[in-house]
Amino acid sequence: GYKGLAVESTDGAFKFHVGGRLQIDTAFVDDDKTRLGSGAELRRARLEVGGTMWRIWGYKFQIDFGHGETKIKDAYIKFRGFKPVSFTLGQQKLPFTLQSWTSNKWIVFQERALMNTFIEDDSIGRRRFGFKAHTHRIIHGNHWTAAAGIFGEGVEHKGPFNESWAPMGRVTFAPIAEKTRVLHFGVDSYYRHYPPNPDLSFTAYPEVHSIPSLLNSGVISGTEDALLLAGELSAVWGPFHAQSEYIHAHVGRKNGLPDPDFYGWYVQAGYFLTGESRNYEPEEGRYGQIFPQGIVGQGGWGAWEVAARFSKLDLADSGILGGVENNITVALNWYATPSILFRMNYIHAHTDPTSIAAGLGVDENVDILGLRAQVVW
Amino acid sequence: GYKGLAVESTDGAFKFHVGGRLQIDTAFVDDDKTRLGSGAELRRARLEVGGTMWRIWGYKFQIDFGHGETKIKDAYIKFRGFKPVSFTLGQQKLPFTLQSWTSNKWIVFQERALMNTFIEDDSIGRRRFGFKAHTHRIIHGNHWTAAAGIFGEGVEHKGPFNESWAPMGRVTFAPIAEKTRVLHFGVDSYYRHYPPNPDLSFTAYPEVHSIPSLLNSGVISGTEDALLLAGELSAVWGPFHAQSEYIHAHVGRKNGLPDPDFYGWYVQAGYFLTGESRNYEPEEGRYGQIFPQGIVGQGGWGAWEVAARFSKLDLADSGILGGVENNITVALNWYATPSILFRMNYIHAHTDPTSIAAGLGVDENVDILGLRAQVVW
Amino acid sequence: GYKGLAVESTDGAFKFHVGGRLQIDTAFVDDDKTRLGSGAELRRARLEVGGTMWRIWGYKFQIDFGHGETKIKDAYIKFRGFKPVSFTLGQQKLPFTLQSWTSNKWIVFQERALMNTFIEDDSIGRRRFGFKAHTHRIIHGNHWTAAAGIFGEGVEHKGPFNESWAPMGRVTFAPIAEKTRVLHFGVDSYYRHYPPNPDLSFTAYPEVHSIPSLLNSGVISGTEDALLLAGELSAVWGPFHAQSEYIHAHVGRKNGLPDPDFYGWYVQAGYFLTGESRNYEPEEGRYGQIFPQGIVGQGGWGAWEVAARFSKLDLADSGILGGVENNITVALNWYATPSILFRMNYIHAHTDPTSIAAGLGVDENVDILGLRAQVVW
């Protein structure tokens, strides 16, 4: 089938699949002061195997070979024996914000909004070694999910996990969660405590991965801990969808150094010209795969979507001169089949003259055309 | 089956396969002036997944783990919806010369002839990120293929693709393309334009991969572009087959530096003692898998083939002292099954005293015994 | 099924499987003089494909992505056409000692006993490129296995294989080899000859992989060759099992340097509280997968096993101050299903004041709690 290989025992107690994804990116950039350079990139090239055994045990192993590196993304064991709570042990993605918890395959734009830097940074971590509990309940017709976990370092880090540790949690609430109508709220928290000198810094590529960062906080010396708080809001109304999120990041420092507070947010909206709706998954509080009404190769023309996003990131506070960036993106997406899609993003990025990245007192205006071809199997 | 895992929907619209290959090499060398050293090597260790979806969409993802490195070989999406032309987007092999376009699994010798250096060199590229159109037509009973593409850098390169770009094309013509009789002609062109200081150089291992190069052009300073032109000729007459190709390489340089012209060619012939024929694939203008008449394990003795090749590479021109090499190879191949083969190559390599690799004014005579065991699934 | 994916032709002549394993480790350490540090680690993350073709041909390709590295474990072709002898060509594990030849999935403790350093060291090698013959015979009701091979370097080594070479052999004898009763004896030898300056040294992590080594021989200068001799003894009596092995290592040196002799041994015993027996594989002279009588997810509680081990390693001789370590381990294992297990190891490690690792004249007492979750598919 179109999902690669998926086999299942007749009673459903055993499942196994081999899957993967390729994301082939090209970017053309009109740079300003900082030399950026257009580029092509194999953004993601993933292979995964996973399965279910004796109905309540699961596992997943996923590796990314994209942009010249080999990185383990998922390597976990799942236990579903204490319903309605499931437990996940091992290397896994942390449930933090809607855009991050939604797979990169099914976010509306080529890349997540700028504020994703707060958890994507290597010193904080979107994927970490740890233990998570997750549950989904329907109470008076309202969908709730709750997830909490404790995490150490990532699988590629050699350092001792107990010198950095992070409890985190996410709660979502969806009073409407129908096929074509959704209303979703969420709150997230993520705390990480560090050993001495953790090299914490934030940078953010301008929403196309192959383009270098325009912002850079530099290493924030004396960092002791970091606290991230976020809020989520999203809705679907037939072919129309909208989404907005905010992250506040507080960095705690020692030796009387002032504690910087950073923040980022975005608001986006989209519309399926061909009438499809965004696919909400209430069990996980996120969006999933898009199924076009007509498939290219079976007489159809696929699904066509237009979308726009405003995105802001502020990394300038308490003497940290990381800069401020405001991005506007317009997007055209073509879902030729459920497994094959093509994205076109046009991004205008503006940075304020508060960043040491390009040189203090300098602002930049950068225009980027991003193209992506994606296959999922 | 012997092809690893291949599953298909009943209407043939969906296919999926998991495949791979191992090539286990051993070489014994009788060196001359340059110390070479015998050696064993896992020449190739590849894993691949690929498939077809909704009949007209295809994809392939292939990774090589051989000789201690992890490299993506193929990562592309294919579209067959505008017959008779197919389109391939992503990291892929470029169709240039018959020996290169034929898979390393089914070339007659352990390695391709010396002239392969012209596209194998990292600055030019056998596998690159790009877009290719391909077609196969039968006109008055003659098989034609035509392929053209535009390519940037490879997937492992971080640099911007638009600073090096390469249009290329190949046309083949086969007036005879039967099971046991083939006559094939082809012409190839490949142009690459470089950003400043591209580090272009050519080296060539003496047709056994683990043996160090005897020729070395050094970095050709001031390179602006490179143009490769090639001609192909091949024939099959029952168990007999012959093949010859020529490449001319012109390197354009700036600042009044003279433009060197290099060339390479080979001629080879082989004979199946057990009566099989080389397997020509007219749709691609190349050779494919050998199916022995008797299989070891089912009462047969496999297919046995003898072959010989003369191969020349000239990297000495316009002050570039890369040297000249002439190789003679005799080969004995045993195809125990369609998936398992054993190769034995004896190579005598001679270099003229025009190379700075061993020291100018020195010629070398090197003898190599190469062994390979190959499994394909 | 629970074995990942395994397909077979109806006549059994063709088989193919996709498998793998994850081992998720956590360790808490109470260190002494040397700073060790607790830690989490993805100990092993392996993917494998393998198969049988035309009944007598086999192959296996296995890659480990654990602890941030990509390493080929197996890449071989197997021939079973000359019964009762099978031949294996390529990168493979060497049959040397019972604990090493038993898969790390089914050894009783989290790690093999200290003496495993003698073949795990990179200069000697548990997995190497080479050629092995193996046979299993039943003579007067007694099970015999014999294996012999010649090996070069490993697949990740770039150096010429003929500058280091190693003949080795193993013979095992099992007068009892029933489902619940086993008596097993074995002898092993492994010789390796080196090119000049091979950087031979021995270190040994204290039976939890993420914890740094307490012993270190340093590079043994002037090494010419190494000879390892070992003896094996093991028994199963219903739910009870016991095992003991000894290795003697002799390092030959040039230039009148004294030849050091090192040794290591261990004795272990275990008991299945739930009545299972350890699973002896007489064809290979080793232990295999444990099948619990009750499966978690099907109303059962899995298999529960307790075990203890004393382990010694002596790396102090002839002026080499590698130190002496004695470890006591107690273990509790829970086999929730045949594919999912959890291990808890408590280790007390003591080093004598004969090692330069912590500082000469210093002894150390280290306590470690090791945890593992394992999934096999």
Side-chain angles (χ1 to χ4, degrees):
Chain A
Y2 67 87
K3 300 191 77 172
L5 178 79
V7 292
E8 192 170 336
S9 63
T10 47
D11 64 354
F14 295 90
K15 295 176 190 173
F16 180 75
H17 77 271
V18 177
R21 80 192 68 168
L22 297 177
Q23 291 176 348
I24 300 161
D25 283 14
T26 309
F28 299 92
V29 64
D30 178 12
D31 49 23
D32 190 354
K33 280 99 187 176
T34 305
R35 281 288 298 129
L36 297 172
S38 304
E41 185 183 61
L42 191 59
R43 176 66 174 99
R44 292 180 182 93
R46 294 194 186 170
L47 209 56
E48 67 175 60
V49 296
T52 298
M53 299 186 293
W54 291 280
R55 203 174 301 274
I56 61 173
W57 298 94
Y59 61 93
K60 189 174 173 192
F61 183 29
Q62 186 188 57
I63 313 167
D64 194 349
F65 298 95
H67 43 99
E69 297 169 13
T70 303
K71 285 199 170 176
I72 292 178
K73 291 292 164 179
D74 293 307
Y76 61 71
I77 298 175
K78 204 161 194 163
F79 180 72
R80 295 191 193 87
F82 291 134
K83 291 205 169 163
V85 184
S86 70
F87 300 93
T88 309
L89 173 69
Q91 171 84 357
Q92 57 188 293
K93 188 161 82 168
L94 281 67
F96 186 83
T97 74
L98 178 57
Q99 70 168 356
S100 171
W101 192 236
T102 296
S103 168
N104 58 61
K105 296 180 289 193
W106 311 121
I107 52 175
V108 176
F109 299 88
Q110 207 168 321
E111 298 291 336
R112 296 184 177 96
L114 291 167
M115 70 171 206
N116 202 45
T117 185
F118 290 126
I119 53 163
E120 211 174 16
D121 183 85
D122 199 50
S123 304
I124 294 192
R126 266 166 54 81
R127 287 176 192 269
R128 286 291 180 266
F129 224 55
F131 183 75
K132 185 192 75 172
H134 169 91
T135 191
H136 166 243
R137 308 297 299 271
I138 304 174
I139 302 171
H140 301 307
N142 299 318
H143 286 265
W144 290 84
T145 76
I150 175 98
F151 294 91
E153 289 293 338
V155 78
E156 71 275 18
H157 297 99
K158 300 273 180 179
F161 91 109
N162 64 343
E163 299 183 1
S164 169
W165 48 271
M168 56 88 61
R170 178 179 186 240
V171 175
T172 71
F173 166 64
I176 309 174
E178 301 167 9
K179 274 274 175 202
T180 60
R181 287 202 317 149
V182 176
L183 185 59
H184 164 103
F185 302 92
V187 290
D188 313 78
S189 72
Y190 187 162
Y191 173 82
R192 186 169 281 277
H193 187 272
Y194 294 100
N197 309 314
D199 276 351
L200 179 69
S201 69
F202 297 109
T203 62
Y205 48 87
E207 295 173 350
V208 168
H209 185 262
S210 65
I211 308 294
S213 180
L214 297 172
L215 303 189
N216 190 349
S217 73
V219 171
I220 302 169
S221 61
T223 295
E224 205 165 15
D225 55 16
L227 175 66
L228 307 178
L229 297 171
E232 315 171 4
L233 177 64
S234 184
V236 173
W237 186 275
F240 177 81
H241 55 82
Q243 183 173 316
S244 182
E245 297 188 271
Y246 174 88
I247 294 184
H248 182 95
H250 176 87
V251 179
R253 301 208 285 176
K254 289 179 294 194
N255 308 327
L257 290 164
D259 289 1
D261 284 276
F262 305 128
Y263 70 93
W265 60 274
Y266 70 89
V267 55
Q268 70 182 44
Y271 186 81
F272 280 95
L273 303 170
T274 40
E276 289 82 358
S277 289
R278 238 187 142 190
N279 177 14
Y280 186 68
E281 300 176 340
E283 307 78 25
E284 292 285 351
R286 69 178 175 201
Y287 291 97
Q289 190 164 16
I290 299 295
F291 295 91
Q293 291 175 3
I295 287 174
V296 178
Q298 298 201 315
W301 290 99
W304 290 83
E305 181 187 28
V306 290
R309 177 170 70 188
F310 176 81
S311 170
K312 187 185 184 79
L313 180 66
D314 187 324
L315 296 179
D317 191 54
S318 304
I320 306 295
L321 298 168
V324 178
E325 183 170 341
N326 297 288
N327 283 11
I328 295 171
T329 304
V330 292
L332 176 65
N333 297 324
W334 178 37
Y335 303 80
T337 81
S339 318
I340 302 212
L341 72 81
F342 299 89
R343 298 186 189 280
M344 187 164 70
N345 279 202
Y346 177 83
I347 299 159
H348 177 80
H350 170 79
T351 64
D352 279 354
T354 54
S355 167
I356 51 167
L360 259 184
V362 168
D363 65 341
E364 299 208 58
N365 285 284
V366 175
D367 290 274
I368 306 165
L369 177 67
L371 303 172
R372 170 171 297 175
Q374 171 178 299
V375 58
V376 176
W377 66 88
Chain B
Y2 67 88
K3 299 193 76 172
L5 178 78
V7 293
E8 193 170 335
S9 62
T10 46
D11 63 354
F14 294 90
K15 296 176 189 172
F16 181 76
H17 78 271
V18 177
R21 79 192 69 168
L22 297 177
Q23 291 176 347
I24 299 161
D25 283 13
T26 310
F28 299 92
V29 64
D30 178 14
D31 49 21
D32 191 354
K33 279 100 187 177
T34 306
R35 281 288 298 129
L36 297 173
S38 304
E41 186 183 61
L42 191 58
R43 177 65 174 100
R44 293 182 180 92
R46 294 194 186 170
L47 209 56
E48 67 174 61
V49 298
T52 298
M53 300 186 294
W54 291 280
R55 204 174 302 271
I56 62 173
W57 298 94
Y59 61 94
K60 189 173 173 192
F61 183 29
Q62 186 187 56
I63 313 166
D64 194 348
F65 298 94
H67 43 100
E69 297 170 12
T70 303
K71 285 200 171 175
I72 291 178
K73 291 293 164 179
D74 292 309
Y76 62 71
I77 298 175
K78 204 162 194 162
F79 180 73
R80 295 191 194 87
F82 291 134
K83 289 203 171 162
V85 184
S86 70
F87 300 93
T88 310
L89 172 68
Q91 171 85 357
Q92 56 188 293
K93 188 160 82 168
L94 282 67
F96 186 82
T97 73
L98 178 57
Q99 69 168 358
S100 170
W101 192 236
T102 296
S103 167
N104 59 61
K105 296 180 288 194
W106 312 119
I107 51 174
V108 177
F109 300 88
Q110 207 168 320
E111 298 292 337
R112 296 184 177 96
L114 291 167
M115 70 171 206
N116 202 45
T117 184
F118 289 126
I119 52 165
E120 210 173 17
D121 183 84
D122 199 50
S123 304
I124 293 193
R126 265 166 55 80
R127 286 176 191 269
R128 286 293 180 266
F129 225 55
F131 182 76
K132 186 191 76 173
H134 170 91
T135 190
H136 166 243
R137 307 297 298 272
I138 305 176
I139 302 171
H140 302 307
N142 299 318
H143 287 263
W144 291 85
T145 76
I150 175 98
F151 294 91
E153 290 293 338
V155 78
E156 70 275 19
H157 297 100
K158 301 272 181 181
F161 90 110
N162 64 343
E163 298 183 2
S164 169
W165 49 271
M168 57 88 62
R170 180 180 185 240
V171 175
T172 71
F173 166 62
I176 309 175
E178 301 167 8
K179 275 274 176 202
T180 60
R181 286 202 319 151
V182 176
L183 185 59
H184 165 103
F185 302 92
V187 290
D188 313 78
S189 72
Y190 187 161
Y191 173 82
R192 185 169 283 276
H193 186 274
Y194 294 100
N197 308 314
D199 276 350
L200 178 70
S201 70
F202 296 109
T203 63
Y205 47 86
E207 295 172 350
V208 168
H209 185 263
S210 65
I211 308 294
S213 180
L214 297 172
L215 302 189
N216 190 349
S217 72
V219 172
I220 301 170
S221 61
T223 296
E224 206 166 12
D225 56 18
L227 174 66
L228 307 179
L229 296 172
E232 316 172 5
L233 178 62
S234 185
V236 173
W237 188 275
F240 176 80
H241 55 80
Q243 183 173 316
S244 181
E245 296 188 272
Y246 174 89
I247 294 184
H248 181 95
H250 175 88
V251 179
R253 300 207 285 176
K254 287 180 295 194
N255 308 327
L257 291 165
D259 290 0
D261 285 275
F262 305 129
Y263 71 94
W265 60 274
Y266 70 89
V267 55
Q268 70 183 43
Y271 186 81
F272 279 94
L273 303 170
T274 41
E276 289 82 358
S277 289
R278 238 188 142 189
N279 176 14
Y280 187 69
E281 299 177 340
E283 307 77 25
E284 292 284 352
R286 70 179 174 199
Y287 291 97
Q289 191 165 15
I290 300 294
F291 294 91
Q293 291 175 3
I295 287 174
V296 178
Q298 299 201 314
W301 290 97
W304 290 83
E305 182 187 28
V306 290
R309 177 171 69 188
F310 175 81
S311 170
K312 187 186 184 76
L313 180 67
D314 187 325
L315 297 178
D317 190 54
S318 303
I320 306 296
L321 297 169
V324 177
E325 183 170 341
N326 297 289
N327 283 11
I328 295 171
T329 304
V330 292
L332 177 65
N333 297 324
W334 177 38
Y335 304 80
T337 82
S339 319
I340 301 214
L341 72 81
F342 299 89
R343 297 186 190 279
M344 187 165 69
N345 279 201
Y346 176 84
I347 299 158
H348 177 80
H350 171 79
T351 64
D352 279 354
T354 55
S355 168
I356 52 168
L360 259 186
V362 168
D363 64 343
E364 299 209 58
N365 284 284
V366 175
D367 290 273
I368 306 166
L369 177 66
L371 303 172
R372 170 170 298 174
Q374 172 178 298
V375 58
V376 176
W377 65 87
Chain C
Y2 66 86
K3 300 191 76 170
L5 178 78
V7 292
E8 193 170 335
S9 62
T10 46
D11 63 353
F14 294 90
K15 296 175 189 174
F16 180 77
H17 78 272
V18 177
R21 80 192 67 168
L22 297 177
Q23 291 176 346
I24 299 161
D25 282 13
T26 310
F28 299 93
V29 64
D30 178 14
D31 49 22
D32 191 354
K33 280 101 187 175
T34 305
R35 282 286 299 128
L36 297 172
S38 303
E41 184 183 63
L42 190 59
R43 176 66 173 100
R44 292 181 181 93
R46 294 195 186 169
L47 209 55
E48 67 175 59
V49 297
T52 297
M53 299 185 293
W54 292 280
R55 204 174 302 274
I56 62 174
W57 298 94
Y59 61 94
K60 189 174 173 192
F61 183 29
Q62 186 187 57
I63 313 166
D64 194 348
F65 297 95
H67 43 99
E69 297 170 12
T70 303
K71 284 199 171 176
I72 292 178
K73 291 292 165 180
D74 292 309
Y76 62 70
I77 298 175
K78 204 163 195 162
F79 180 71
R80 294 191 194 86
F82 291 134
K83 290 205 171 158
V85 184
S86 69
F87 300 93
T88 311
L89 172 69
Q91 171 84 355
Q92 57 188 293
K93 189 160 81 167
L94 280 67
F96 186 83
T97 75
L98 178 56
Q99 69 168 357
S100 170
W101 193 234
T102 296
S103 167
N104 58 61
K105 296 181 288 193
W106 312 120
I107 52 174
V108 177
F109 299 89
Q110 207 168 320
E111 298 292 337
R112 297 184 176 96
L114 291 167
M115 71 171 205
N116 201 45
T117 185
F118 289 126
I119 53 164
E120 211 175 15
D121 183 85
D122 198 50
S123 304
I124 293 191
R126 265 166 54 82
R127 286 176 192 268
R128 285 293 180 265
F129 224 57
F131 183 75
K132 186 192 75 172
H134 169 91
T135 191
H136 166 241
R137 308 297 298 272
I138 305 175
I139 303 172
H140 301 307
N142 299 316
H143 287 263
W144 290 84
T145 76
I150 175 98
F151 294 91
E153 289 293 338
V155 78
E156 70 275 19
H157 297 100
K158 300 272 181 181
F161 90 110
N162 64 343
E163 298 184 1
S164 170
W165 48 271
M168 56 89 60
R170 179 180 186 238
V171 175
T172 71
F173 166 63
I176 309 174
E178 301 167 9
K179 274 273 175 205
T180 60
R181 288 202 317 151
V182 176
L183 186 59
H184 165 102
F185 302 92
V187 291
D188 313 78
S189 72
Y190 187 162
Y191 173 81
R192 186 170 282 276
H193 187 272
Y194 294 101
N197 308 314
D199 276 352
L200 179 69
S201 70
F202 297 109
T203 63
Y205 49 86
E207 294 172 350
V208 168
H209 185 262
S210 64
I211 308 295
S213 180
L214 298 171
L215 301 190
N216 189 349
S217 72
V219 172
I220 301 170
S221 61
T223 295
E224 205 166 13
D225 56 17
L227 175 66
L228 307 178
L229 296 172
E232 316 172 5
L233 178 63
S234 185
V236 172
W237 187 276
F240 177 81
H241 56 81
Q243 184 173 315
S244 181
E245 296 188 271
Y246 174 88
I247 293 183
H248 181 95
H250 176 87
V251 179
R253 300 207 285 176
K254 288 180 294 192
N255 308 326
L257 291 163
D259 290 0
D261 284 275
F262 305 128
Y263 70 94
W265 61 273
Y266 70 89
V267 55
Q268 70 182 44
Y271 186 80
F272 279 94
L273 303 169
T274 41
E276 289 82 358
S277 289
R278 235 187 144 191
N279 176 14
Y280 186 68
E281 299 176 340
E283 308 78 25
E284 291 285 352
R286 70 178 174 200
Y287 291 98
Q289 190 164 17
I290 299 295
F291 295 91
Q293 291 175 5
I295 287 174
V296 178
Q298 299 202 314
W301 290 98
W304 291 82
E305 181 186 28
V306 290
R309 178 171 69 189
F310 175 81
S311 171
K312 186 185 185 78
L313 180 66
D314 188 325
L315 296 178
D317 191 54
S318 303
I320 306 295
L321 298 167
V324 178
E325 183 170 340
N326 296 289
N327 283 11
I328 295 171
T329 304
V330 292
L332 176 66
N333 296 324
W334 178 37
Y335 304 81
T337 81
S339 319
I340 302 214
L341 72 81
F342 299 89
R343 297 187 189 280
M344 187 164 69
N345 278 201
Y346 178 84
I347 299 159
H348 177 80
H350 170 80
T351 63
D352 279 354
T354 55
S355 167
I356 52 167
L360 259 186
V362 168
D363 64 342
E364 300 207 58
N365 285 285
V366 175
D367 290 272
I368 306 165
L369 177 67
L371 304 171
R372 170 171 296 174
Q374 172 178 299
V375 58
V376 176
W377 65 87

